[in-house]
Coordinates of all heavy atoms in Angstrom, one line a residue:
C264 N 117.3 -94.5 -69.0 CA 118.8 -94.3 -69.3 C 119.0 -92.8 -69.3 O 118.2 -92.0 -69.6 CB 119.1 -94.9 -70.6 SG 119.0 -96.6 -70.6
T265 N 120.3 -92.5 -69.0 CA 120.7 -91.1 -69.1 C 121.8 -91.0 -70.2 O 122.7 -91.7 -70.2 CB 121.3 -90.6 -67.7 OG1 120.2 -90.7 -66.8 CG2 121.7 -89.2 -67.8
V266 N 121.5 -90.0 -71.0 CA 122.5 -89.8 -72.1 C 123.0 -88.3 -72.0 O 122.2 -87.4 -71.8 CB 121.7 -90.0 -73.5 CG1 122.7 -89.7 -74.6 CG2 121.1 -91.3 -73.6
Q267 N 124.2 -88.1 -72.2 CA 124.8 -86.8 -72.2 C 124.6 -86.2 -73.6 O 125.1 -86.8 -74.6 CB 126.3 -86.8 -71.8 CG 126.5 -87.1 -70.4 CD 126.2 -85.9 -69.4 OE1 126.1 -84.8 -69.9 NE2 126.0 -86.2 -68.1
L268 N 124.0 -85.1 -73.7 CA 123.8 -84.4 -75.0 C 124.3 -83.0 -74.9 O 123.6 -82.1 -74.3 CB 122.4 -84.5 -75.4 CG 122.1 -83.9 -76.8 CD1 122.7 -84.7 -77.9 CD2 120.6 -83.8 -77.0
D269 N 125.5 -82.7 -75.3 CA 126.1 -81.4 -75.3 C 126.0 -80.8 -73.8 O 125.6 -79.7 -73.6 CB 125.4 -80.4 -76.2 CG 125.7 -80.8 -77.7 OD1 126.6 -81.6 -77.9 OD2 124.9 -80.3 -78.5
G270 N 126.4 -81.6 -72.9 CA 126.5 -81.1 -71.5 C 125.2 -81.2 -70.7 O 125.1 -80.9 -69.6
V271 N 124.1 -81.6 -71.4 CA 122.8 -81.8 -70.8 C 122.5 -83.2 -70.5 O 122.7 -84.1 -71.3 CB 121.6 -81.2 -71.6 CG1 120.3 -81.4 -71.0 CG2 121.9 -79.7 -71.9
R272 N 122.1 -83.5 -69.3 CA 121.8 -84.9 -68.9 C 120.3 -85.2 -69.3 O 119.4 -84.7 -68.7 CB 121.9 -85.1 -67.4 CG 123.3 -85.4 -66.9 CD 123.4 -85.3 -65.4 NE 122.5 -86.3 -64.8 CZ 122.8 -87.5 -64.5 NH1 124.1 -87.9 -64.6 NH2 122.0 -88.4 -63.9
V273 N 120.2 -86.0 -70.3 CA 118.9 -86.3 -70.9 C 118.5 -87.7 -70.3 O 119.2 -88.7 -70.5 CB 118.9 -86.3 -72.4 CG1 117.5 -86.7 -73.0 CG2 119.3 -85.0 -73.0
T274 N 117.4 -87.8 -69.6 CA 116.9 -89.1 -69.1 C 115.7 -89.5 -69.9 O 114.7 -88.8 -70.0 CB 116.6 -89.0 -67.6 OG1 117.7 -88.5 -66.9 CG2 116.2 -90.3 -67.0
V275 N 115.8 -90.7 -70.4 CA 114.7 -91.3 -71.3 C 114.1 -92.5 -70.6 O 114.9 -93.3 -70.1 CB 115.3 -91.7 -72.7 CG1 114.1 -92.2 -73.6 CG2 116.0 -90.6 -73.3
R276 N 112.8 -92.6 -70.6 CA 112.2 -93.7 -69.9 C 110.9 -94.1 -70.5 O 110.2 -93.2 -71.1 CB 112.0 -93.4 -68.4 CG 111.9 -94.6 -67.5 CD 112.0 -94.1 -66.1 NE 110.9 -93.3 -65.7 CZ 109.9 -93.8 -64.9 NH1 109.9 -95.0 -64.5 NH2 108.9 -93.0 -64.6
I277 N 110.5 -95.3 -70.5 CA 109.1 -95.6 -71.0 C 108.4 -96.3 -69.9 O 109.0 -97.0 -69.0 CB 109.1 -96.4 -72.3 CG1 109.5 -97.9 -72.0 CG2 110.0 -95.8 -73.4 CD1 108.6 -98.8 -72.8
D278 N 107.1 -96.1 -69.9 CA 106.2 -96.8 -68.9 C 105.1 -97.5 -69.8 O 104.6 -96.9 -70.7 CB 105.5 -95.8 -68.0 CG 106.5 -95.3 -67.0 OD1 106.9 -96.0 -66.1 OD2 106.8 -94.1 -67.1
G279 N 104.8 -98.8 -69.4 CA 103.8 -99.5 -70.1 C 104.5 -100.6 -71.0 O 105.7 -100.6 -71.1
P280 N 103.7 -101.4 -71.7 CA 104.2 -102.5 -72.5 C 105.0 -102.0 -73.7 O 104.5 -101.1 -74.4 CB 103.0 -103.2 -72.9 CG 101.9 -102.2 -72.9 CD 102.2 -101.2 -71.8
L281 N 106.2 -102.4 -73.9 CA 107.0 -102.0 -75.1 C 106.6 -103.0 -76.2 O 107.4 -103.8 -76.6 CB 108.5 -102.1 -74.7 CG 109.4 -101.4 -75.7 CD1 108.9 -100.0 -76.0 CD2 110.8 -101.4 -75.3
Q282 N 105.4 -102.9 -76.6 CA 104.9 -103.8 -77.7 C 104.2 -102.9 -78.7 O 103.7 -101.8 -78.5 CB 103.8 -104.7 -77.1 CG 104.4 -105.7 -76.1 CD 103.3 -106.5 -75.3 OE1 102.2 -106.4 -75.7 NE2 103.8 -107.2 -74.3
V283 N 104.1 -103.6 -79.9 CA 103.4 -102.8 -81.0 C 101.9 -102.8 -80.7 O 101.3 -103.7 -80.0 CB 103.6 -103.5 -82.4 CG1 105.0 -103.4 -82.8 CG2 103.2 -105.0 -82.4
L284 N 101.2 -101.8 -81.2 CA 99.8 -101.6 -81.1 C 99.3 -101.4 -79.7 O 98.1 -101.3 -79.4 CB 99.0 -102.7 -81.7 CG 99.2 -103.0 -83.2 CD1 98.4 -104.2 -83.7 CD2 98.9 -101.8 -84.0
K285 N 100.2 -101.3 -78.7 CA 99.8 -101.0 -77.3 C 100.4 -99.7 -76.9 O 101.6 -99.5 -77.0 CB 100.2 -102.1 -76.4 CG 99.5 -103.5 -76.7 CD 99.6 -104.4 -75.6 CE 98.8 -105.7 -75.9 NZ 99.2 -106.8 -75.2
P286 N 99.6 -98.8 -76.4 CA 100.1 -97.5 -76.0 C 101.1 -97.6 -74.8 O 100.9 -98.4 -73.9 CB 98.9 -96.7 -75.6 CG 97.8 -97.7 -75.4 CD 98.1 -98.9 -76.2
F287 N 102.2 -96.9 -74.9 CA 103.1 -96.8 -73.8 C 103.5 -95.3 -73.7 O 103.3 -94.5 -74.6 CB 104.4 -97.7 -74.0 CG 105.2 -97.4 -75.2 CD1 106.2 -96.4 -75.2 CD2 105.1 -98.2 -76.3 CE1 107.0 -96.2 -76.3 CE2 105.9 -98.0 -77.4 CZ 106.8 -97.0 -77.4
R288 N 104.0 -95.0 -72.5 CA 104.3 -93.6 -72.3 C 105.8 -93.4 -72.3 O 106.6 -94.1 -71.8 CB 103.7 -93.1 -70.9 CG 102.2 -93.1 -71.0 CD 101.6 -92.4 -69.8 NE 102.2 -92.9 -68.5 CZ 102.4 -92.1 -67.5 NH1 102.1 -90.8 -67.6 NH2 103.0 -92.5 -66.4
L289 N 106.2 -92.3 -73.1 CA 107.6 -92.0 -73.2 C 107.8 -90.7 -72.4 O 107.0 -89.8 -72.5 CB 107.9 -91.8 -74.7 CG 109.3 -91.1 -75.0 CD1 110.4 -92.1 -74.7 CD2 109.3 -90.8 -76.5
S290 N 108.8 -90.7 -71.6 CA 109.2 -89.5 -70.9 C 110.6 -89.1 -71.1 O 111.5 -90.0 -71.1 CB 108.8 -89.6 -69.4 OG 109.6 -90.5 -68.8
V291 N 110.8 -87.9 -71.3 CA 112.2 -87.4 -71.6 C 112.4 -86.2 -70.7 O 111.7 -85.2 -70.7 CB 112.3 -86.9 -73.1 CG1 113.7 -86.3 -73.3 CG2 112.1 -88.1 -74.0
D292 N 113.4 -86.3 -69.8 CA 113.8 -85.2 -68.9 C 115.0 -84.6 -69.4 O 116.1 -85.2 -69.4 CB 114.0 -85.8 -67.5 CG 114.1 -84.7 -66.5 OD1 114.0 -83.5 -66.9 OD2 114.3 -84.9 -65.3
A293 N 114.9 -83.4 -69.9 CA 116.1 -82.7 -70.5 C 116.0 -81.3 -70.0 O 115.4 -80.4 -70.6 CB 116.0 -82.7 -72.0
P294 N 116.7 -81.0 -68.8 CA 116.6 -79.7 -68.2 C 116.9 -78.6 -69.2 O 117.9 -78.6 -69.9 CB 117.7 -79.8 -67.1 CG 117.8 -81.2 -66.8 CD 117.5 -81.9 -68.1
G295 N 116.0 -77.6 -69.3 CA 116.3 -76.4 -70.1 C 115.7 -76.6 -71.6 O 115.8 -75.7 -72.3
A296 N 115.3 -77.8 -71.9 CA 114.8 -78.0 -73.3 C 113.5 -77.3 -73.5 O 112.7 -77.1 -72.6 CB 114.6 -79.5 -73.5
R297 N 113.3 -76.8 -74.7 CA 112.1 -76.1 -75.1 C 111.2 -77.0 -76.0 O 110.0 -76.9 -76.0 CB 112.5 -74.8 -75.8 CG 112.8 -73.7 -74.9 CD 113.5 -72.6 -75.6 NE 114.8 -73.1 -76.0 CZ 115.4 -72.7 -77.1 NH1 114.8 -71.9 -78.0 NH2 116.6 -73.2 -77.5
K298 N 111.9 -77.8 -76.9 CA 111.1 -78.6 -77.8 C 111.6 -80.0 -77.9 O 112.8 -80.1 -78.2 CB 111.1 -77.9 -79.2 CG 110.1 -78.5 -80.2 CD 110.2 -77.8 -81.5 CE 109.4 -78.5 -82.6 NZ 109.7 -78.1 -83.9
V299 N 110.8 -81.0 -77.7 CA 111.2 -82.3 -77.8 C 110.2 -83.1 -78.6 O 109.0 -83.0 -78.4 CB 111.3 -83.0 -76.3 CG1 111.7 -84.5 -76.4 CG2 112.2 -82.2 -75.4
Q300 N 110.8 -83.8 -79.6 CA 109.9 -84.7 -80.4 C 110.6 -86.0 -80.7 O 111.8 -86.1 -80.7 CB 109.4 -84.0 -81.7 CG 110.5 -83.4 -82.5 CD 109.9 -82.5 -83.6 OE1 108.8 -82.0 -83.5 NE2 110.7 -82.4 -84.7
A301 N 109.7 -87.0 -80.8 CA 110.2 -88.4 -81.0 C 109.7 -89.0 -82.4 O 108.6 -88.7 -82.8 CB 109.8 -89.3 -79.9
Q302 N 110.5 -89.8 -83.0 CA 110.2 -90.4 -84.2 C 110.7 -91.9 -84.2 O 111.8 -92.1 -83.6 CB 110.9 -89.7 -85.4 CG 110.0 -89.6 -86.6 CD 110.7 -88.7 -87.7 OE1 111.6 -88.0 -87.4 NE2 110.2 -88.9 -88.9
F303 N 109.9 -92.8 -84.8 CA 110.3 -94.2 -84.7 C 110.4 -94.7 -86.1 O 109.6 -94.5 -87.0 CB 109.2 -94.9 -83.9 CG 109.1 -94.5 -82.5 CD1 108.3 -93.4 -82.2 CD2 109.8 -95.1 -81.5 CE1 108.2 -92.9 -80.9 CE2 109.8 -94.6 -80.2 CZ 108.9 -93.6 -79.9
S304 N 111.6 -95.5 -86.3 CA 111.8 -96.0 -87.6 C 112.5 -97.3 -87.5 O 112.8 -97.8 -86.4 CB 112.7 -95.0 -88.4 OG 114.0 -94.9 -87.8
M305 N 112.8 -98.0 -88.6 CA 113.6 -99.2 -88.6 C 114.7 -99.0 -89.7 O 114.5 -98.3 -90.7 CB 112.8 -100.4 -89.1 CG 112.0 -101.0 -87.9 SD 111.1 -102.4 -88.5 CE 110.3 -102.9 -86.9
A306 N 115.9 -99.6 -89.4 CA 117.0 -99.5 -90.3 C 116.6 -100.0 -91.7 O 116.0 -101.1 -91.8 CB 118.2 -100.3 -89.8
S307 N 116.8 -99.2 -92.7 CA 116.6 -99.5 -94.1 C 115.1 -100.0 -94.3 O 114.9 -101.0 -95.1 CB 117.6 -100.4 -94.7 OG 117.6 -101.7 -94.0
M308 N 114.2 -99.4 -93.6 CA 112.8 -99.8 -93.9 C 111.9 -98.6 -93.5 O 112.0 -98.1 -92.5 CB 112.4 -101.0 -93.0 CG 111.0 -101.6 -93.3 SD 110.7 -103.1 -92.3 CE 109.2 -103.5 -93.0
D309 N 111.0 -98.3 -94.5 CA 110.1 -97.2 -94.2 C 109.0 -97.7 -93.4 O 108.2 -98.5 -93.7 CB 109.6 -96.7 -95.6 CG 108.7 -95.5 -95.4 OD1 108.6 -95.0 -94.3 OD2 108.1 -95.0 -96.4
M310 N 108.9 -97.1 -92.2 CA 107.8 -97.5 -91.3 C 106.7 -96.5 -91.2 O 105.9 -96.5 -90.3 CB 108.4 -97.8 -89.9 CG 109.3 -99.0 -89.8 SD 108.5 -100.5 -90.4 CE 107.3 -100.8 -89.2
G311 N 106.6 -95.7 -92.2 CA 105.6 -94.7 -92.3 C 105.9 -93.4 -91.4 O 106.8 -93.5 -90.6
F312 N 105.2 -92.4 -91.7 CA 105.4 -91.2 -91.0 C 104.9 -91.2 -89.6 O 103.7 -91.6 -89.4 CB 104.8 -90.0 -91.8 CG 105.0 -88.7 -91.1 CD1 106.2 -88.0 -91.2 CD2 103.9 -88.1 -90.3 CE1 106.3 -86.8 -90.5 CE2 104.1 -86.9 -89.7 CZ 105.3 -86.3 -89.8
N313 N 105.7 -91.0 -88.6 CA 105.2 -90.8 -87.3 C 106.1 -89.9 -86.5 O 107.3 -90.0 -86.5 CB 105.2 -92.2 -86.5 CG 106.5 -92.8 -86.4 OD1 107.3 -92.4 -85.6 ND2 106.9 -93.8 -87.2
L314 N 105.5 -88.8 -86.0 CA 106.2 -87.8 -85.3 C 105.4 -87.4 -84.1 O 104.3 -87.0 -84.2 CB 106.5 -86.6 -86.2 CG 107.3 -85.5 -85.6 CD1 108.8 -85.9 -85.4 CD2 107.3 -84.3 -86.5
Y315 N 106.0 -87.6 -82.9 CA 105.3 -87.3 -81.7 C 105.9 -86.1 -81.0 O 107.0 -86.2 -80.5 CB 105.4 -88.5 -80.7 CG 104.6 -89.7 -81.2 CD1 105.3 -90.7 -81.9 CD2 103.3 -90.0 -80.8 CE1 104.6 -91.9 -82.3 CE2 102.6 -91.1 -81.2 CZ 103.3 -92.0 -81.9 OH 102.6 -93.2 -82.3
P316 N 105.2 -85.0 -81.0 CA 105.7 -83.9 -80.2 C 105.4 -84.2 -78.7 O 104.3 -84.6 -78.3 CB 104.8 -82.7 -80.6 CG 103.8 -83.3 -81.5 CD 103.9 -84.7 -81.6
L317 N 106.5 -84.1 -77.9 CA 106.3 -84.4 -76.4 C 105.9 -83.1 -75.7 O 106.4 -82.0 -76.1 CB 107.6 -84.9 -75.8 CG 107.8 -86.4 -76.0 CD1 108.2 -86.8 -77.5 CD2 109.0 -86.9 -75.1
Q318 N 105.0 -83.2 -74.8 CA 104.5 -82.1 -74.0 C 105.1 -82.0 -72.6 O 105.0 -83.1 -72.0 CB 103.0 -82.1 -74.0 CG 102.2 -82.1 -75.3 CD 102.6 -81.0 -76.2 OE1 102.8 -79.8 -75.7 NE2 102.6 -81.2 -77.5
P319 N 105.5 -80.9 -72.2 CA 106.1 -80.8 -70.8 C 105.0 -80.9 -69.7 O 104.0 -80.3 -69.9 CB 106.8 -79.5 -70.8 CG 106.2 -78.7 -71.8 CD 105.6 -79.6 -72.9
D320 N 105.2 -81.7 -68.7 CA 104.3 -81.7 -67.6 C 104.7 -80.6 -66.6 O 105.5 -79.7 -66.9 CB 104.3 -83.1 -66.9 CG 105.6 -83.4 -66.3 OD1 106.4 -82.6 -66.1 OD2 105.7 -84.6 -65.9
A321 N 104.0 -80.6 -65.4 CA 104.2 -79.5 -64.5 C 105.7 -79.4 -64.0 O 106.2 -78.4 -63.6 CB 103.3 -79.7 -63.3
Q322 N 106.3 -80.6 -64.0 CA 107.7 -80.7 -63.5 C 108.7 -80.4 -64.7 O 109.9 -80.5 -64.5 CB 108.0 -82.1 -62.9 CG 107.5 -82.2 -61.5 CD 106.0 -82.4 -61.5 OE1 105.4 -83.1 -62.2 NE2 105.4 -81.6 -60.5
G323 N 108.2 -80.2 -65.9 CA 109.1 -79.9 -67.0 C 109.6 -81.1 -67.7 O 110.5 -81.1 -68.5
V324 N 109.0 -82.3 -67.3 CA 109.4 -83.5 -68.0 C 108.5 -83.7 -69.2 O 107.3 -83.6 -69.2 CB 109.2 -84.8 -67.1 CG1 109.5 -86.1 -67.8 CG2 110.1 -84.6 -65.8
F325 N 109.1 -83.9 -70.4 CA 108.4 -84.0 -71.6 C 107.8 -85.4 -71.8 O 108.5 -86.4 -71.5 CB 109.3 -83.7 -72.8 CG 109.6 -82.3 -72.9 CD1 110.6 -81.7 -72.2 CD2 108.9 -81.5 -73.8 CE1 110.9 -80.3 -72.3 CE2 109.2 -80.1 -73.9 CZ 110.1 -79.5 -73.1
R326 N 106.5 -85.5 -72.1 CA 105.8 -86.8 -72.2 C 105.0 -86.9 -73.5 O 104.5 -85.9 -74.0 CB 104.9 -86.9 -71.0 CG 105.6 -86.9 -69.7 CD 104.7 -87.1 -68.6 NE 105.3 -87.0 -67.3 CZ 106.0 -88.0 -66.7 NH1 106.1 -89.1 -67.3 NH2 106.6 -87.8 -65.5
A327 N 104.9 -88.2 -74.0 CA 104.0 -88.5 -75.1 C 103.5 -89.9 -74.9 O 104.2 -90.7 -74.3 CB 104.7 -88.3 -76.4
R328 N 102.3 -90.1 -75.5 CA 101.8 -91.5 -75.5 C 102.1 -92.0 -76.9 O 101.7 -91.4 -77.9 CB 100.3 -91.4 -75.3 CG 99.5 -92.6 -75.3 CD 98.0 -92.3 -75.0 NE 97.2 -93.4 -75.1 CZ 96.6 -93.9 -76.2 NH1 96.9 -93.3 -77.4 NH2 95.8 -94.9 -76.2
I329 N 102.7 -93.1 -77.0 CA 103.2 -93.7 -78.3 C 102.5 -95.0 -78.6 O 102.3 -95.8 -77.7 CB 104.7 -94.0 -78.2 CG1 105.5 -92.8 -77.6 CG2 105.3 -94.4 -79.6 CD1 105.7 -91.6 -78.4
V330 N 102.1 -95.2 -79.8 CA 101.6 -96.5 -80.3 C 102.4 -96.8 -81.6 O 102.4 -96.1 -82.6 CB 100.1 -96.4 -80.6 CG1 99.7 -97.8 -81.1 CG2 99.3 -96.0 -79.4
L331 N 103.2 -97.9 -81.5 CA 104.0 -98.3 -82.6 C 103.1 -99.2 -83.6 O 102.3 -100.1 -83.1 CB 105.2 -99.1 -82.2 CG 106.2 -98.3 -81.4 CD1 107.3 -99.3 -80.9 CD2 106.8 -97.2 -82.2
P332 N 103.3 -99.1 -84.9 CA 102.6 -100.0 -85.8 C 103.3 -101.4 -85.9 O 104.4 -101.6 -85.4 CB 102.8 -99.3 -87.1 CG 104.0 -98.5 -87.0 CD 104.2 -98.2 -85.6
V333 N 102.6 -102.3 -86.4 CA 103.1 -103.7 -86.6 C 104.1 -103.6 -87.9 O 103.8 -102.9 -88.8 CB 102.0 -104.7 -86.9 CG1 102.6 -106.0 -87.2 CG2 101.1 -104.8 -85.7
C334 N 105.2 -104.3 -87.8 CA 106.1 -104.3 -88.9 C 105.6 -105.5 -89.8 O 105.4 -106.6 -89.4 CB 107.5 -104.6 -88.4 SG 108.7 -104.8 -89.8
V335 N 105.4 -105.1 -91.1 CA 104.9 -106.1 -92.1 C 105.9 -107.3 -92.3 O 105.4 -108.4 -92.6 CB 104.6 -105.5 -93.5 CG1 103.4 -104.6 -93.4 CG2 105.8 -104.7 -94.0
S336 N 107.2 -107.1 -92.0 CA 108.1 -108.2 -92.1 C 108.4 -108.9 -90.8 O 109.4 -109.7 -90.7 CB 109.4 -107.8 -92.9 OG 109.9 -106.7 -92.3
G337 N 107.7 -108.5 -89.8 CA 107.9 -109.2 -88.5 C 109.1 -108.8 -87.7 O 109.4 -109.4 -86.7
R338 N 109.7 -107.7 -88.1 CA 110.9 -107.2 -87.4 C 110.4 -106.5 -86.1 O 109.3 -106.0 -86.0 CB 111.7 -106.3 -88.2 CG 112.6 -107.0 -89.2 CD 113.1 -106.0 -90.2 NE 114.0 -105.0 -89.6 CZ 114.6 -104.0 -90.3 NH1 114.5 -103.9 -91.6 NH2 115.3 -103.1 -89.6
R339 N 111.3 -106.6 -85.1 CA 111.0 -105.9 -83.8 C 112.1 -104.9 -83.4 O 112.0 -104.3 -82.4 CB 110.8 -107.0 -82.7 CG 109.6 -107.9 -83.0 CD 109.3 -108.7 -81.7 NE 110.4 -109.7 -81.5 CZ 111.0 -109.9 -80.4 NH1 110.7 -109.2 -79.4 NH2 111.9 -110.9 -80.3
D340 N 113.1 -104.8 -84.3 CA 114.2 -103.8 -84.0 C 113.8 -102.4 -84.5 O 113.7 -102.1 -85.7 CB 115.5 -104.3 -84.6 CG 115.4 -104.4 -86.1 OD1 114.4 -105.1 -86.6 OD2 116.2 -103.9 -86.9
W341 N 113.6 -101.5 -83.5 CA 113.3 -100.2 -83.8 C 114.4 -99.2 -83.5 O 115.3 -99.5 -82.7 CB 112.0 -99.8 -83.0 CG 110.8 -100.4 -83.4 CD1 110.3 -101.6 -83.1 CD2 109.8 -99.8 -84.3 NE1 109.1 -101.9 -83.7 CE2 108.8 -100.8 -84.5 CE3 109.8 -98.6 -85.0 CZ2 107.7 -100.5 -85.3 CZ3 108.7 -98.4 -85.8 CH2 107.6 -99.4 -85.9
L342 N 114.2 -98.0 -84.0 CA 115.2 -96.9 -83.7 C 114.3 -95.7 -83.3 O 113.5 -95.2 -84.0 CB 116.0 -96.6 -85.0 CG 117.3 -95.8 -84.8 CD1 118.2 -96.6 -83.9 CD2 117.9 -95.6 -86.2
M343 N 114.6 -95.3 -82.0 CA 113.9 -94.1 -81.5 C 114.8 -92.9 -81.8 O 115.9 -92.9 -81.3 CB 113.6 -94.2 -80.0 CG 112.8 -93.0 -79.5 SD 112.6 -92.9 -77.7 CE 112.7 -94.5 -77.1
S344 N 114.3 -91.9 -82.5 CA 115.0 -90.7 -82.7 C 114.4 -89.6 -81.9 O 113.3 -89.2 -82.2 CB 115.0 -90.4 -84.2 OG 115.6 -89.2 -84.5
L345 N 115.2 -89.1 -81.0 CA 114.7 -88.0 -80.1 C 115.3 -86.7 -80.6 O 116.6 -86.6 -80.7 CB 115.1 -88.2 -78.7 CG 114.3 -89.2 -77.9 CD1 114.9 -89.3 -76.5 CD2 112.8 -88.8 -77.8
E346 N 114.5 -85.7 -80.9 CA 115.1 -84.4 -81.3 C 114.8 -83.5 -80.2 O 113.6 -83.2 -79.8 CB 114.5 -84.0 -82.6 CG 115.3 -82.9 -83.2 CD 114.8 -82.4 -84.6 OE1 114.6 -83.3 -85.5 OE2 114.7 -81.2 -84.8
I347 N 115.8 -82.9 -79.6 CA 115.7 -82.0 -78.5 C 116.4 -80.7 -78.9 O 117.6 -80.6 -79.1 CB 116.5 -82.6 -77.3 CG1 115.8 -83.9 -76.9 CG2 116.4 -81.6 -76.1 CD1 116.6 -84.8 -75.9
D348 N 115.5 -79.7 -79.1 CA 116.0 -78.4 -79.6 C 117.0 -78.5 -80.7 O 118.1 -77.9 -80.7 CB 116.7 -77.6 -78.4 CG 115.6 -77.2 -77.3 OD1 114.4 -77.2 -77.7 OD2 116.1 -77.0 -76.2

Side-chain angles (χ1 to χ4, degrees):
C264 291
T265 299
V266 181
Q267 288 287 342
L268 184 68
D269 296 343
V271 178
R272 279 170 58 93
V273 178
T274 305
V275 184
R276 206 166 67 101
I277 74 138
D278 287 291
L281 192 52
Q282 295 171 10
V283 293
L284 302 179
K285 295 200 176 156
F287 59 86
R288 293 190 313 142
L289 170 67
S290 66
V291 176
D292 189 4
R297 278 162 294 144
K298 190 182 171 194
V299 180
Q300 49 190 28
Q302 216 174 345
F303 298 86
S304 62
M305 278 185 177
S307 59
M308 187 175 184
D309 182 8
M310 292 306 292
F312 178 79
N313 63 76
L314 182 67
Y315 293 89
L317 279 70
Q318 303 300 330
D320 65 11
Q322 281 72 45
V324 177
F325 286 82
R326 298 182 186 277
R328 179 180 175 275
I329 314 287
V330 181
L331 294 176
V333 176
C334 178
V335 287
S336 54
R338 281 170 59 180
R339 294 190 291 128
D340 57 310
W341 287 87
L342 198 59
M343 181 190 335
S344 175
L345 283 177
E346 199 176 308
I347 301 166
D348 293 340

